[in-house]
Amino acid sequence: MNAREVYAVLPIKDTDDAKQRLAGVLSAPRRQELALTMFEDVLATLGRVRELAGIFVVTADSSAAAIAARHGARVLSEGAQEGHTCAVAAAAKRLQSKAMLTLPGDVPLVEEEDVRQLIDAHRDAIRRDAPAFIIVPARDERGSNAILCSPAGAVPLTFGADSFLPHLAAATRCGIEPKVLKLPRVALDIDTPKDLARFLAIPSQTRARALLERWGYAKAANSAL
C-alpha cells in the first residue's frame, strides 16, 4: 500500500438559519455571521497545514462558497443539501483511494498542531501497510468531531449527536483498528450558549472570538457556565 495523500473535507450546510440552539442569545443574522466566521477560522487553519494535499468544502451556501474560494479550497455541491453524512460520503466517493480528513466548521479553536497529530497517526498506519481510522470525539464523547479515514471510503460514516461509539464499531466491522485521539480544541464544537462560554473561557486569536467581543457577548457569556 503506497502512502496516501490526505485531503481535508469540510461540509457546511445552509447558514440562513444556522445554530438554532443559540436562538435564545443571538439573532438569526448574528447566528449566520458566527457560523460563517467559525467556518473561516477552521478553513484558515487547514490552509496553513502544508501536509494536506488539498481542501474540499462541500456546500450549497453561496457565502460559504465565497469564503472557500478566497482560501483556495475547492467547492463541491454534490450531497451538500442532503445533510452532513451525505456531504462527506459524496466527497469520500470522489477521493476513493486517497485519505480523507473531515471535520466540522464549528470548531474554531482547532490549530495546525491538532491537524498534524491526525496526519502523523495516519502516517504510522501507512508505515504498517494498513488502512487507518483515526477519530476525535466531541467534548461529551458522544459525537465525532474529526475523522481521518484512509482510504477515504474504508469505513461508512454516519454523523449525529451519538456517532462516536457507532463509528468505532463500524471501523472494527471493516477490519480496521480505530485510533482515538483526544484533542480538546477539536472536541469543542459550538452549538449552545454553554459551548460559547467554554469557547470564550479559552484565550484565542480567532475571528469568532473577535466577533463575539465586538458584539459585547463575551461578558454575558460567563453566566451560561
Side-chain angles (χ1 to χ4, degrees):
M1 185 180 299
N2 295 324
R4 289 181 288 269
E5 295 177 314
V6 180
Y7 288 81
V9 172
L10 194 54
I12 300 294
K13 63 182 182 181
D14 193 330
T15 60
D16 282 347
D17 197 17
K19 297 298 172 187
Q20 294 184 28
R21 283 188 279 174
L22 293 174
V25 295
L26 294 175
S27 66
R30 285 192 167 185
R31 296 198 312 274
Q32 181 181 36
E33 187 175 359
L34 177 62
L36 290 168
T37 301
M38 292 192 295
F39 160 63
E40 187 163 12
D41 276 326
V42 176
L43 187 58
T45 294
L46 291 173
R48 293 192 293 270
V49 180
R50 296 189 178 278
E51 293 87 344
L52 289 172
I55 303 169
F56 291 95
V57 171
V58 187
T59 190
D61 185 282
S62 59
S63 297
I67 293 170
R70 289 204 304 270
H71 286 268
R74 184 173 177 181
V75 177
L76 304 177
S77 60
E78 185 177 357
Q81 294 181 315
E82 300 168 33
H84 191 122
T85 295
C86 289
V88 173
K93 184 177 181 180
R94 179 181 290 262
L95 289 170
Q96 297 185 357
S97 62
K98 307 295 185 182
M100 176 180 70
L101 167 62
T102 183
L103 66 168
D106 61 355
V107 288
L109 289 175
V110 63
E111 294 184 3
E112 297 100 305
E113 176 188 349
D114 301 314
V115 180
R116 290 190 177 108
Q117 285 192 56
L118 284 152
I119 293 173
D120 286 345
H122 170 250
R123 286 174 173 168
D124 286 342
I126 291 297
R127 282 193 287 269
R128 291 183 281 107
D129 196 29
F133 187 85
I134 305 121
I135 185 168
V136 180
R139 190 187 61 83
D140 60 6
E141 298 198 358
R142 294 175 58 190
S144 308
N145 275 24
I147 294 176
L148 199 161
C149 196
S150 176
V155 177
L157 304 180
T158 304
F159 292 91
D162 293 292
S163 64
F164 174 58
L165 293 179
H167 275 145
L168 296 182
T172 301
R173 285 196 302 272
C174 292
I176 303 173
E177 181 179 355
K179 180 178 180 60
V180 177
L181 289 184
K182 301 289 186 71
L183 301 175
R185 290 184 292 255
V186 179
L188 182 55
D189 52 318
I190 310 300
D191 286 313
T192 68
K194 284 190 175 182
D195 295 332
L196 273 181
R198 293 185 183 101
F199 166 66
L200 289 166
I202 301 169
S204 73
Q205 299 298 316
T206 58
R207 294 167 176 80
R209 184 184 186 92
L211 180 68
L212 290 162
E213 289 179 344
R214 187 164 73 246
W215 290 343
Y217 185 82
K219 292 180 181 179
N222 292 329
S223 62
L225 285 176

